[in-house]
Amino acid sequence: MSPIVMKFGGTSVADLERINHVADLVEQQAKTSDGGIAVIVSAMAGETNRLVGLATNAAGPGIQGPDFDDEYDVVVSSGEQVTSGLLALALRKRGLRARSWLGWQMPMITDDAHGKARIEDIEDGKFQKAVSGGEIAVVAGFQGRTEDERISTLGRGGSDTSAVAVAAALGAERCDIYTDVDGVYTTDPRIVSRARKINRISYEEMLEMASLGAKVLQTRSVELAMNHGVPIRVLSSFAEAPGAEDTGTLVCDEDEIMEKQVVSGIAYSRDEAKISLLGVTNHPGIAAKIFARLSEANINIDMIVQADARGPERANMVFTTTERDSELAVSVLEGASSDIKFDDIVVDKHVSKVSVIGVGMRSHTGVAKTMFDALSEKGINIQVISTSEIKISVLIDSSYTELAVRALHTAYGLDAS
Amino acid sequence: MSPIVMKFGGTSVADLERINHVADLVEQQAKTSDGGIAVIVSAMAGETNRLVGLATNAAGPGIQGPDFDDEYDVVVSSGEQVTSGLLALALRKRGLRARSWLGWQMPMITDDAHGKARIEDIEDGKFQKAVSGGEIAVVAGFQGRTEDERISTLGRGGSDTSAVAVAAALGAERCDIYTDVDGVYTTDPRIVSRARKINRISYEEMLEMASLGAKVLQTRSVELAMNHGVPIRVLSSFAEAPGAEDTGTLVCDEDEIMEKQVVSGIAYSRDEAKISLLGVTNHPGIAAKIFARLSEANINIDMIVQADARGPERANMVFTTTERDSELAVSVLEGASSDIKFDDIVVDKHVSKVSVIGVGMRSHTGVAKTMFDALSEKGINIQVISTSEIKISVLIDSSYTELAVRALHTAYGLDAS
């Protein structure tokens, strides 16, 4: 049998009581798995924030970027180190063979982009040997080491990515991500009480769900799992048992999903701002010029619409970004007014993006029509539309967010009976 | 010029304000030292206790010794890791080049006696190169790594030992131990208000002072300094400046002390218990038998007196140990009664040991007489006496501790004028 990888986030290891519960789950898993177990842990809830606060205050506002990030990693990675030692002890208390593994010990080699490093390799060696020898490996998530033997961290939420990387390196049967919800839902259950847990979802759909605001899994971890063909199962760490095959949500290859839904889920995001650049003097290359400026300032642009205004010499350029980045975008464009001529710039933060996602769209027509009909029926005006192969997103007035999500959930037949 | 090593304990790095003060001291030191600087730091005060509590509770009472110690080291060493990152950032804020060094990065190789490891080697390599290249090295104290690439810790107070080991490896000019007092005193200033700070003290004297209850320096660090000829300076981290040559107390070779005192200091310890084994059936080898039993039970014995009782066939055997070990000693001896015959065993915890220490004793006579006269004058009865080349210790009723220390401090001319 192949190894199983289990990952527990901050709320699942928040205190010693929760760590003991995790140890119980691992103990039960060990009884049914004879291919070895690796457990990836986050810092105890609140600990990372405390450490980030210490590092930020020690450095002061003047020390940023590369001058800050390497030592930030030294300070912040200690949180996962502590949890890994504690869980190893809690497992030994249950009579199990276990030991902690820190990023530098495995070693989990990353690039040297401290604070947001990318995993390059997990060296094949004693870590793999220990797991296959039956010793439970408790891995400090979120951390690695650079070629230069400095500690690196993967950025917030990086423990999911650590877990998938470990699963790939071990050729694991599955990577089980234990979290505070019991799976991935067709939409946010806080908005739609009849939201249903999805049993199986494809990597592509999960990627769209994750990047569109469903916060269950980190986007990078899904990408990595897709690239290495590692099945991820999302399940609740509050359950009494590690769960049978059919608990939680399995994120897997499209081929392994028997009954494909046309639409698998509805996602939404309120963290959107619409920026309208009105009366832009239009000439070839103007769009490239605008978005190059924004890209240089590290501003992520999402939806884009360009339309003629008052004849072909003038255009209105409408795009969306995060609320946070919108002020910066305005100042960048105003600062470029010698180069980019326009009449006015208008920011609207009172917008939401609502998306329907499903691999079935590839082979089904009429998905967009269903969406537009459902929204129109509720009197919801669509401001911007963007589509990909497996999703359709619309920008709407944010007052209508819940109404839109509920209407679409019903329209695509996703409501639980 | 040779490098300078500076070490700061837990109270000196208790919070960000204190860490900033340490950074100020290091900055000033950097202005006058061009041979490089290494700074060794402890965990922030209270942090080690918090981490020890977590590890102990995670393991529960059943997991002890080797099953506990390796993961204990993983958890507890994170405290110094955090401080080293924070101080490196605080130094960069002052425009200095600095980076943290963890035990595994230097690497500081230790044996695998987790929780109380001994340093074997600091490999000659990039650590030394970084220091001589002018980058301030902020070293996480108290930690190393084993040959097997596990984290080890040196035991409580081990940061002093780390500092001396780093000083030895760098061939440092001096190892400055910053603490919450401004030096080593002729005796405890809380008892004798006229106690004087000692300007220079020999390694041998400091070893006696440390092992006899003066808690300024860890005994192991003094031994290591003596073996490698590293001068230690003890000084206050609360001062505004790193201090000139003559601040604090220099612990150095006897030869470097011009004016040798006959007696350098008076030490005392209240953590003593006197055990009297009365009417022991005396035959050759009985003493060896008694102390072999106690040694097997890991009980440290200090002073020993044997005297005939009721003729040569019976003896009284009196010895001292710590209060903590005294109960165990009694039960060990009572358990051995088939082998070791005696009439009665009496424990007296109401005793203190008072010692006078000085390398000058070697060449001066009458030191003991001065001691006995001074105590007798105050009506203090001496229960047990033990001597070494450079110290005389007496056991007395603990009610007289302060009186005895004050009388001896005056008798040897140590009172500040």
Side-chain angles (χ1 to χ4, degrees):
Chain A
M1 262 179 81
S2 307
I4 292 279
V5 170
M6 307 169 80
K7 183 261 167 179
F8 296 90
T11 54
S12 304
V13 293
D15 52 36
L16 286 175
E17 196 187 326
R18 301 283 305 133
I19 288 175
N20 272 311
H21 180 66
V22 166
D24 288 340
L25 293 176
V26 175
E27 183 182 18
Q28 290 178 64
Q29 183 73 57
K31 284 180 186 147
T32 59
S33 307
D34 53 7
I37 292 179
V39 188
I40 285 79
V41 290
S42 298
M44 295 161 83
E47 195 57 9
T48 302
N49 286 339
R50 183 181 76 87
L51 294 166
V52 169
L54 280 173
T56 308
N57 288 325
I63 301 296
Q64 290 180 333
D67 284 344
F68 176 68
D69 296 339
D70 56 343
E71 298 299 342
Y72 164 93
D73 284 353
V74 170
V75 173
V76 173
S77 64
S78 69
E80 283 74 16
Q81 175 170 334
V82 169
T83 317
S84 67
L86 296 178
L87 181 57
L89 289 169
L91 290 169
R92 290 183 185 171
K93 187 167 66 179
R94 284 157 181 78
L96 298 163
R97 281 202 302 134
R99 71 155 275 200
S100 64
W101 290 87
L102 306 179
W104 64 270
Q105 291 173 323
M106 308 180 62
M108 164 109 55
I109 308 289
T110 74
D111 63 18
D112 58 3
H114 287 285
K116 47 182 189 300
R118 296 192 79 87
I119 299 170
E120 293 186 339
D121 189 27
I122 296 177
E123 281 179 20
D124 196 11
K126 58 184 185 173
F127 171 69
Q128 284 83 341
K129 211 170 285 174
V131 173
S132 63
E135 184 184 62
I136 297 172
V138 185
V139 177
F142 174 68
Q143 61 180 249
R145 76 155 170 81
T146 65
E147 283 296 342
D148 194 31
E149 299 204 318
R150 298 295 314 262
I151 293 178
S152 53
T153 69
L154 309 181
R156 279 272 167 139
S159 291
D160 285 354
T161 310
S162 300
V164 173
V166 168
L170 292 172
E173 189 180 322
R174 216 175 49 238
C175 179
D176 285 350
I177 308 267
Y178 286 82
T179 178
D180 47 6
V181 295
D182 66 348
V184 180
Y185 276 71
T186 48
T187 194
D188 186 343
R190 288 170 302 181
I191 288 186
V192 182
S193 59
R194 298 175 76 187
R196 282 187 298 110
K197 184 166 72 62
I198 301 171
N199 291 326
R200 292 190 171 210
I201 188 170
S202 70
Y203 295 118
E204 291 86 349
E205 288 168 318
M206 191 64 229
L207 267 181
E208 292 287 358
M209 296 281 268
S211 59
L212 291 172
K215 295 190 179 61
V216 184
L217 285 177
Q218 221 217 349
T219 310
R220 271 169 66 191
S221 67
V222 182
E223 278 171 3
L224 195 64
M226 183 163 73
N227 292 340
H228 289 85
V230 176
I232 297 179
R233 197 167 59 158
V234 177
L235 65 180
S236 169
S237 70
F238 289 82
E240 287 308 310
E245 278 304 312
D246 57 347
T247 48
T249 296
L250 191 73
V251 186
C252 59
D253 209 88
E254 203 179 318
D255 300 343
E256 291 168 48
I257 302 174
M258 296 281 282
E259 284 190 80
K260 289 183 189 63
Q261 301 287 324
V262 178
V263 166
S264 298
I266 318 290
Y268 68 94
S269 157
R270 294 183 204 274
D271 179 21
E272 305 284 332
K274 180 179 71 169
I275 298 178
S276 306
L277 215 54
L278 303 176
V280 181
T281 306
N282 200 4
H283 55 81
I286 182 69
K289 202 172 271 177
I290 290 170
F291 294 109
R293 292 284 189 145
L294 295 168
S295 161
E296 280 159 21
N298 260 320
I299 298 167
N300 262 322
I301 301 303
D302 180 15
M303 305 166 113
I304 301 175
V305 176
Q306 181 178 347
D308 287 353
R310 299 186 277 126
E313 288 78 36
R314 295 298 190 116
N316 292 336
M317 195 75 82
V318 178
F319 60 87
T320 66
T321 182
T322 60
E323 286 196 21
R324 204 177 121 98
D325 279 352
S326 61
E327 323 259 300
L328 179 60
V330 169
S331 74
V332 164
L333 292 174
E334 283 177 342
S337 59
S338 62
D339 208 21
I340 302 164
K341 308 269 182 225
F342 53 86
D343 295 339
D344 200 5
I345 186 163
V346 180
V347 179
D348 181 1
K349 297 183 181 175
H350 200 65
V351 289
S352 286
K353 184 170 64 172
V354 176
S355 309
V356 301
I357 296 145
V359 286
M361 282 185 206
R362 291 196 191 113
S363 49
H364 283 74
T365 53
V367 177
K369 181 175 185 301
T370 304
M371 184 177 202
F372 303 152
D373 283 352
L375 294 175
S376 137
E377 210 167 87
K378 299 290 181 192
I380 301 169
N381 190 33
I382 298 172
Q383 303 183 16
V384 183
I385 300 172
S386 80
T387 61
S388 79
E389 211 186 351
I390 65 163
K391 75 139 210 262
I392 309 172
S393 298
V394 296
L395 199 73
I396 61 171
D397 181 322
S398 65
S399 321
Y400 295 94
T401 313
E402 291 87 349
L403 182 62
V405 170
R406 273 193 289 261
L408 294 170
H409 202 264
T410 304
Y412 288 105
L414 295 172
D415 290 352
S417 51
Chain B
M1 260 178 84
S2 308
I4 292 279
V5 170
M6 307 169 81
K7 183 259 168 180
F8 296 91
T11 54
S12 304
V13 293
D15 52 35
L16 286 176
E17 195 187 328
R18 302 282 304 134
I19 289 174
N20 272 311
H21 180 65
V22 166
D24 288 340
L25 292 177
V26 175
E27 184 182 17
Q28 291 178 62
Q29 184 73 57
K31 283 180 189 149
T32 59
S33 307
D34 54 6
I37 292 178
V39 188
I40 284 78
V41 290
S42 299
M44 295 161 84
E47 194 57 10
T48 301
N49 286 339
R50 182 181 77 88
L51 294 165
V52 169
L54 280 173
T56 309
N57 288 325
I63 301 296
Q64 290 180 333
D67 283 345
F68 176 68
D69 296 338
D70 57 343
E71 297 299 342
Y72 164 92
D73 284 352
V74 170
V75 173
V76 173
S77 64
S78 68
E80 283 73 16
Q81 175 170 334
V82 170
T83 317
S84 66
L86 295 178
L87 180 57
L89 288 169
L91 290 169
R92 290 183 186 171
K93 188 167 64 180
R94 284 158 180 77
L96 298 163
R97 281 201 303 134
R99 72 156 273 200
S100 63
W101 290 87
L102 306 178
W104 63 270
Q105 291 172 324
M106 309 180 61
M108 164 107 58
I109 307 290
T110 73
D111 62 18
D112 58 2
H114 286 283
K116 47 181 188 303
R118 296 191 78 88
I119 299 170
E120 293 186 337
D121 189 27
I122 296 177
E123 282 179 18
D124 196 11
K126 60 183 183 173
F127 171 68
Q128 283 84 342
K129 210 170 287 174
V131 173
S132 63
E135 185 183 62
I136 298 172
V138 185
V139 177
F142 173 69
Q143 62 180 249
R145 77 155 169 83
T146 65
E147 282 294 343
D148 194 30
E149 298 203 321
R150 298 296 312 265
I151 293 178
S152 53
T153 68
L154 309 181
R156 280 273 167 139
S159 291
D160 285 353
T161 311
S162 300
V164 173
V166 167
L170 291 173
E173 188 181 323
R174 214 172 52 237
C175 180
D176 286 348
I177 309 266
Y178 287 81
T179 178
D180 47 7
V181 294
D182 66 347
V184 181
Y185 276 72
T186 49
T187 194
D188 186 342
R190 287 170 303 180
I191 288 187
V192 181
S193 59
R194 298 176 75 187
R196 283 188 297 110
K197 185 166 72 64
I198 301 172
N199 291 327
R200 292 190 171 211
I201 188 170
S202 70
Y203 295 119
E204 291 86 348
E205 288 169 318
M206 192 63 229
L207 268 180
E208 292 286 359
M209 296 282 268
S211 60
L212 292 173
K215 294 188 179 64
V216 185
L217 284 177
Q218 221 216 351
T219 310
R220 270 169 68 191
S221 67
V222 182
E223 278 170 4
L224 195 64
M226 184 162 73
N227 292 339
H228 289 84
V230 176
I232 296 178
R233 196 166 62 159
V234 177
L235 64 179
S236 169
S237 70
F238 290 81
E240 287 308 311
E245 277 303 313
D246 57 348
T247 47
T249 296
L250 190 74
V251 186
C252 59
D253 209 88
E254 202 179 318
D255 302 342
E256 290 169 48
I257 303 176
M258 297 281 282
E259 284 190 79
K260 290 182 188 64
Q261 302 287 326
V262 177
V263 166
S264 299
I266 318 290
Y268 69 94
S269 156
R270 294 182 205 274
D271 181 22
E272 304 285 331
K274 180 177 72 167
I275 298 178
S276 306
L277 216 52
L278 303 176
V280 182
T281 306
N282 200 2
H283 55 81
I286 182 69
K289 203 172 270 175
I290 290 170
F291 294 108
R293 291 285 188 143
L294 295 168
S295 162
E296 280 160 21
N298 261 319
I299 298 167
N300 263 324
I301 301 304
D302 182 15
M303 307 167 111
I304 301 176
V305 175
Q306 182 178 346
D308 286 354
R310 299 186 275 126
E313 287 79 36
R314 294 300 188 113
N316 292 337
M317 195 75 83
V318 178
F319 59 87
T320 66
T321 181
T322 59
E323 286 196 21
R324 205 177 122 99
D325 279 352
S326 61
E327 323 259 299
L328 180 60
V330 169
S331 75
V332 163
L333 292 175
E334 283 176 341
S337 58
S338 62
D339 208 21
I340 302 165
K341 308 271 183 225
F342 53 86
D343 295 339
D344 200 5
I345 184 164
V346 179
V347 178
D348 182 2
K349 295 183 182 173
H350 201 64
V351 288
S352 286
K353 185 170 65 171
V354 177
S355 310
V356 301
I357 297 147
V359 286
M361 281 186 206
R362 290 197 192 111
S363 49
H364 283 74
T365 54
V367 177
K369 182 175 182 301
T370 304
M371 184 176 203
F372 303 152
D373 283 350
L375 295 176
S376 135
E377 210 166 88
K378 298 292 179 190
I380 301 169
N381 191 33
I382 296 172
Q383 302 182 18
V384 184
I385 300 171
S386 81
T387 60
S388 79
E389 211 187 349
I390 64 164
K391 75 137 209 264
I392 309 172
S393 299
V394 296
L395 199 72
I396 61 171
D397 183 320
S398 66
S399 318
Y400 294 93
T401 313
E402 291 87 348
L403 182 62
V405 170
R406 273 193 290 260
L408 294 170
H409 200 264
T410 303
Y412 290 105
L414 295 172
D415 289 353
S417 49

